[in-house]
Amino acid sequence: EDFREFSSQASKFIVGLLEKANEARLTGYTTTDILRWMEERGIEKEIRSHSQELFAFCEEVKFSSGKVDVQSGRTAVANATKILELILK
């Protein structure tokens, strides 16, 4: 399956949630910078872990023309859902 649209939107959405929840400006940062920022700000380890996995998936999609293993896509959806739940709790 082609996960380009999902990966593009998911990473933007999660970054937007992090910005809103933490009153920060992260748009334009690399995923490495965002993960470093999350650690420095003391963002919950579980959120950081799921974010790292989601961002890695999004990078994989970006550099593979969107075609990745369906199970990887399902795992990414689960990670995005869990991040959303953790941030909004």
Side-chain angles (χ1 to χ4, degrees), residues 42-80:
I43 303 295
E44 194 175 320
K45 185 177 181 177
E46 191 174 7
I47 294 173
R48 291 192 329 255
S49 176
H50 287 290
S51 295
Q52 183 174 13
E53 289 179 29
L54 179 64
F55 291 154
F57 171 80
C58 292
E59 291 291 319
E60 179 184 351
V61 170
K62 181 178 177 180
F63 294 109
S64 69
S65 302
K67 306 280 186 198
V68 293
D69 176 63
V70 173
Q71 186 56 47
S72 295
R74 289 182 181 145
T75 300
V77 170
N79 280 320

Side-chain angles (χ1 to χ4, degrees), residues 16-64:
L17 282 175
L18 288 167
E19 288 178 330
K20 186 170 176 87
N22 296 282
E23 298 178 4
R25 181 81 176 135
L26 301 170
T27 303
Y29 282 30
T30 66
T31 56
T32 301
D33 290 339
I34 292 170
L35 292 168
R36 185 178 311 116
W37 174 87
M38 291 171 74
E39 187 170 359
E40 290 169 357
R41 286 288 298 252
I43 303 295
E44 194 175 320
K45 185 177 181 177
E46 191 174 7
I47 294 173
R48 291 192 329 255
S49 176
H50 287 290
S51 295
Q52 183 174 13
E53 289 179 29
L54 179 64
F55 291 154
F57 171 80
C58 292
E59 291 291 319
E60 179 184 351
V61 170
K62 181 178 177 180
F63 294 109
S64 69

